[in-house]
Amino acid sequence: MNQNIYCKPRLLINDREISYCNQISLKQNGGNSLDKLSARFSDPDLENITLYNQKVEFYLNNGSEDSVPLFRGLIKEFNTTDKDMSISALDARTLLTGENAFPVVLDDNDNYDGQTVIDFLIDIIDNKLNSDILSTKNMNTMDKPIFMTGLRTVGAPYDLCRERVNKKIDEDDILAPLSYDLDILHDKDSSSIIVRKERSTDNTPDFTFNYHDGIQHLSYTDRGNPSFAITQTENGSQVRFDYGSNPDGSLGIQTDIIADSRGEAHEKLIPILISKQNAEKKIVINSSKGHYMSLGSIIRVEVPDNNVVGQYRLESKSIDWNDTQLRCTLVLNRKPIRISDYINM
């Protein structure tokens, strides 16, 4: 597929290798979102075959033969022309999310009260989902379990878990609250949903990047730190928490939390707002390394610019390959946000 002796990618559809692949793009956006693979290839044997929901695997083989795929999922869209074919696929979690996922009904007679989101996912995958590509053998427990108690609704299993994980924060260190993300881990034969806990950027870095090692191009944007957060209690009372001064202007966030009283709401706003401090810088690196790095890895950036030097989390990654080049783009520090959450006052 590639004349580059250092990178020889393989694309497999239903365990059959595609011999004439022209372009592959993998995007891992983190934040509980699904990984997405796009590819363009020419293969006459596939022209009259329906590719929708067929298994696809991508091995990067950058420098050596990979033992596990960098991506495994299902084709959700495909297009055929007189010259080539293109596909778009989502990772194996697509079986449990979106409009096409089978719905789970949670009511007073059938529910998961007293069980965690991990227990819930294990039961769904092992007992209700008929799939060979999504398994539970590598699923992990959480140090701060999230329970399904009281949940009465109808919805896709992954969506129900994602909503609860999105709201979970480890507040043991009030000055350094840590959040959680759902991710996917691929092994040789199947993939498993895992939970990753955010790591403090004060930890020993996993990788160091500079202009002599890794960085081909670097750019960054900065956004002021929010100085206040507001929410409402269940009875409609507005609660506001202010943190420090506001040298960047009066910029705040609005969030939905579950609280019975103003005091409880105030306490829950504290870690949410503090977690946003010094975390609004977005650094984009075009890199010559890091293709296999896991999201959440701690990266130390050592460059002459004092506004950039420091340690950050790897928040998203994209890999783009064609028959002439391999490009890796890393996005550090900032998680995907909803601009509507921010309030300028």
CSV table of all heavy atoms in Angstrom, one decimal, residues 45-68:
chain,number,residue,atom,x,y,z
A,45,ASP,N,-13.2,-6.1,-6.7
A,45,ASP,CA,-14.0,-7.2,-6.1
A,45,ASP,C,-15.0,-6.7,-5.1
A,45,ASP,O,-15.9,-7.5,-4.7
A,45,ASP,CB,-13.0,-8.1,-5.3
A,45,ASP,CG,-12.1,-8.8,-6.3
A,45,ASP,OD1,-12.5,-8.9,-7.5
A,45,ASP,OD2,-11.0,-9.3,-5.9
A,46,LEU,N,-14.9,-5.4,-4.6
A,46,LEU,CA,-15.9,-4.9,-3.7
A,46,LEU,C,-17.0,-4.0,-4.3
A,46,LEU,O,-17.9,-3.5,-3.6
A,46,LEU,CB,-15.2,-4.1,-2.6
A,46,LEU,CG,-14.2,-4.9,-1.7
A,46,LEU,CD1,-13.5,-3.9,-0.7
A,46,LEU,CD2,-14.9,-5.9,-0.9
A,47,GLU,N,-16.9,-3.8,-5.6
A,47,GLU,CA,-17.8,-2.8,-6.2
A,47,GLU,C,-19.3,-3.2,-6.1
A,47,GLU,O,-20.1,-2.3,-6.0
A,47,GLU,CB,-17.4,-2.7,-7.7
A,47,GLU,CG,-16.1,-1.9,-7.9
A,47,GLU,CD,-15.8,-1.8,-9.4
A,47,GLU,OE1,-16.6,-2.3,-10.2
A,47,GLU,OE2,-14.8,-1.1,-9.7
A,48,ASN,N,-19.6,-4.4,-6.1
A,48,ASN,CA,-21.0,-4.8,-6.0
A,48,ASN,C,-21.4,-5.4,-4.7
A,48,ASN,O,-22.4,-6.1,-4.5
A,48,ASN,CB,-21.3,-5.8,-7.1
A,48,ASN,CG,-21.1,-5.3,-8.5
A,48,ASN,OD1,-21.5,-4.2,-8.8
A,48,ASN,ND2,-20.4,-6.1,-9.4
A,49,ILE,N,-20.6,-5.1,-3.6
A,49,ILE,CA,-20.9,-5.5,-2.3
A,49,ILE,C,-21.4,-4.4,-1.4
A,49,ILE,O,-20.8,-3.3,-1.4
A,49,ILE,CB,-19.6,-6.2,-1.7
A,49,ILE,CG1,-19.2,-7.4,-2.5
A,49,ILE,CG2,-19.9,-6.6,-0.2
A,49,ILE,CD1,-17.9,-8.0,-2.0
A,50,THR,N,-22.4,-4.7,-0.6
A,50,THR,CA,-22.9,-3.7,0.3
A,50,THR,C,-22.0,-3.6,1.5
A,50,THR,O,-21.8,-4.7,2.2
A,50,THR,CB,-24.3,-4.0,0.8
A,50,THR,OG1,-25.2,-3.9,-0.3
A,50,THR,CG2,-24.8,-3.0,1.8
A,51,LEU,N,-21.3,-2.5,1.8
A,51,LEU,CA,-20.3,-2.4,2.8
A,51,LEU,C,-20.9,-1.9,4.1
A,51,LEU,O,-20.2,-1.9,5.2
A,51,LEU,CB,-19.2,-1.5,2.4
A,51,LEU,CG,-18.4,-2.0,1.1
A,51,LEU,CD1,-17.3,-1.0,0.8
A,51,LEU,CD2,-17.8,-3.4,1.4
A,52,TYR,N,-22.1,-1.5,4.2
A,52,TYR,CA,-22.7,-0.9,5.4
A,52,TYR,C,-22.6,-1.9,6.5
A,52,TYR,O,-23.0,-3.0,6.4
A,52,TYR,CB,-24.1,-0.4,5.1
A,52,TYR,CG,-24.8,0.2,6.3
A,52,TYR,CD1,-24.4,1.5,6.7
A,52,TYR,CD2,-25.7,-0.5,7.1
A,52,TYR,CE1,-25.0,2.1,7.8
A,52,TYR,CE2,-26.3,0.1,8.2
A,52,TYR,CZ,-25.9,1.4,8.6
A,52,TYR,OH,-26.5,2.0,9.7
A,53,ASN,N,-22.1,-1.4,7.7
A,53,ASN,CA,-22.0,-2.1,8.9
A,53,ASN,C,-21.0,-3.3,8.8
A,53,ASN,O,-21.1,-4.2,9.7
A,53,ASN,CB,-23.4,-2.7,9.4
A,53,ASN,CG,-24.0,-1.8,10.5
A,53,ASN,OD1,-23.3,-0.9,11.0
A,53,ASN,ND2,-25.2,-2.0,10.8
A,54,GLN,N,-20.2,-3.3,7.8
A,54,GLN,CA,-19.1,-4.3,7.8
A,54,GLN,C,-17.9,-3.9,8.6
A,54,GLN,O,-17.6,-2.7,8.8
A,54,GLN,CB,-18.7,-4.5,6.3
A,54,GLN,CG,-19.8,-4.9,5.4
A,54,GLN,CD,-20.5,-6.2,5.8
A,54,GLN,OE1,-19.8,-7.3,6.0
A,54,GLN,NE2,-21.8,-6.2,6.1
A,55,LYS,N,-17.3,-4.9,9.2
A,55,LYS,CA,-16.1,-4.6,10.1
A,55,LYS,C,-14.9,-4.1,9.3
A,55,LYS,O,-14.6,-4.6,8.2
A,55,LYS,CB,-15.7,-5.9,10.8
A,55,LYS,CG,-14.5,-5.7,11.8
A,55,LYS,CD,-14.2,-7.0,12.5
A,55,LYS,CE,-13.5,-8.0,11.5
A,55,LYS,NZ,-12.9,-9.2,12.2
A,56,VAL,N,-14.3,-3.1,9.9
A,56,VAL,CA,-13.1,-2.5,9.2
A,56,VAL,C,-12.0,-2.4,10.3
A,56,VAL,O,-12.3,-2.0,11.4
A,56,VAL,CB,-13.4,-1.2,8.5
A,56,VAL,CG1,-13.9,-0.2,9.5
A,56,VAL,CG2,-12.1,-0.6,7.9
A,57,GLU,N,-10.7,-2.7,9.9
A,57,GLU,CA,-9.6,-2.6,10.8
A,57,GLU,C,-8.5,-1.9,10.1
A,57,GLU,O,-8.3,-2.1,8.9
A,57,GLU,CB,-9.1,-4.0,11.3
A,57,GLU,CG,-10.1,-4.7,12.2
A,57,GLU,CD,-9.7,-6.1,12.5
A,57,GLU,OE1,-9.5,-6.9,11.5
A,57,GLU,OE2,-9.7,-6.5,13.6
A,58,PHE,N,-7.7,-1.0,10.9
A,58,PHE,CA,-6.6,-0.3,10.3
A,58,PHE,C,-5.4,-0.5,11.2
A,58,PHE,O,-5.4,-0.2,12.4
A,58,PHE,CB,-7.0,1.2,10.3
A,58,PHE,CG,-5.9,2.2,10.0
A,58,PHE,CD1,-5.1,1.9,9.0
A,58,PHE,CD2,-5.7,3.3,10.8
A,58,PHE,CE1,-4.0,2.8,8.7
A,58,PHE,CE2,-4.7,4.2,10.5
A,58,PHE,CZ,-3.8,3.9,9.5
A,59,TYR,N,-4.4,-1.0,10.5
A,59,TYR,CA,-3.0,-1.2,11.1
A,59,TYR,C,-2.1,-0.1,10.5
A,59,TYR,O,-1.9,-0.1,9.3
A,59,TYR,CB,-2.5,-2.6,10.9
A,59,TYR,CG,-3.3,-3.7,11.5
A,59,TYR,CD1,-4.5,-4.2,11.0
A,59,TYR,CD2,-2.8,-4.3,12.7
A,59,TYR,CE1,-5.2,-5.2,11.5
A,59,TYR,CE2,-3.6,-5.3,13.3
A,59,TYR,CZ,-4.7,-5.8,12.7
A,59,TYR,OH,-5.4,-6.8,13.3
A,60,LEU,N,-1.5,0.7,11.4
A,60,LEU,CA,-0.6,1.8,10.8
A,60,LEU,C,0.7,1.2,10.4
A,60,LEU,O,1.3,1.6,9.4
A,60,LEU,CB,-0.4,2.8,11.9
A,60,LEU,CG,0.4,4.0,11.5
A,60,LEU,CD1,-0.2,4.7,10.3
A,60,LEU,CD2,0.6,5.0,12.6
A,61,ASN,N,1.3,0.3,11.2
A,61,ASN,CA,2.6,-0.4,10.9
A,61,ASN,C,3.6,0.7,10.6
A,61,ASN,O,4.4,0.6,9.6
A,61,ASN,CB,2.4,-1.3,9.7
A,61,ASN,CG,1.5,-2.5,9.9
A,61,ASN,OD1,1.4,-2.9,11.1
A,61,ASN,ND2,0.9,-3.0,8.9
A,62,ASN,N,3.8,1.6,11.5
A,62,ASN,CA,4.8,2.7,11.4
A,62,ASN,C,6.1,2.3,12.1
A,62,ASN,O,6.2,2.4,13.3
A,62,ASN,CB,4.2,4.0,12.0
A,62,ASN,CG,5.1,5.2,11.7
A,62,ASN,OD1,5.7,5.2,10.6
A,62,ASN,ND2,5.2,6.1,12.6
A,63,GLY,N,7.0,1.8,11.3
A,63,GLY,CA,8.3,1.4,11.8
A,63,GLY,C,8.4,-0.1,12.1
A,63,GLY,O,9.5,-0.7,12.1
A,64,SER,N,7.3,-0.8,12.3
A,64,SER,CA,7.2,-2.2,12.6
A,64,SER,C,5.8,-2.7,12.4
A,64,SER,O,4.9,-1.9,12.3
A,64,SER,CB,7.7,-2.5,14.0
A,64,SER,OG,6.8,-1.9,15.0
A,65,GLU,N,5.6,-4.0,12.4
A,65,GLU,CA,4.3,-4.6,12.2
A,65,GLU,C,3.5,-4.5,13.5
A,65,GLU,O,4.0,-4.9,14.6
A,65,GLU,CB,4.5,-6.1,11.8
A,65,GLU,CG,5.0,-6.3,10.4
A,65,GLU,CD,4.0,-5.9,9.3
A,65,GLU,OE1,2.7,-6.1,9.6
A,65,GLU,OE2,4.3,-5.4,8.3
A,66,ASP,N,2.3,-3.9,13.4
A,66,ASP,CA,1.5,-3.8,14.6
A,66,ASP,C,0.8,-5.1,14.9
A,66,ASP,O,0.4,-5.8,14.0
A,66,ASP,CB,0.4,-2.7,14.4
A,66,ASP,CG,1.0,-1.4,14.2
A,66,ASP,OD1,2.2,-1.2,14.6
A,66,ASP,OD2,0.3,-0.5,13.7
A,67,SER,N,0.7,-5.5,16.2
A,67,SER,CA,0.1,-6.7,16.6
A,67,SER,C,-1.4,-6.5,16.9
A,67,SER,O,-2.2,-7.4,16.9
A,67,SER,CB,0.7,-7.2,17.9
A,67,SER,OG,0.6,-6.3,19.0
A,68,VAL,N,-1.8,-5.2,17.1
A,68,VAL,CA,-3.3,-4.9,17.3
A,68,VAL,C,-3.6,-3.7,16.4
A,68,VAL,O,-2.7,-2.9,16.1
A,68,VAL,CB,-3.6,-4.5,18.7
A,68,VAL,CG1,-3.3,-5.7,19.6
A,68,VAL,CG2,-2.8,-3.3,19.2
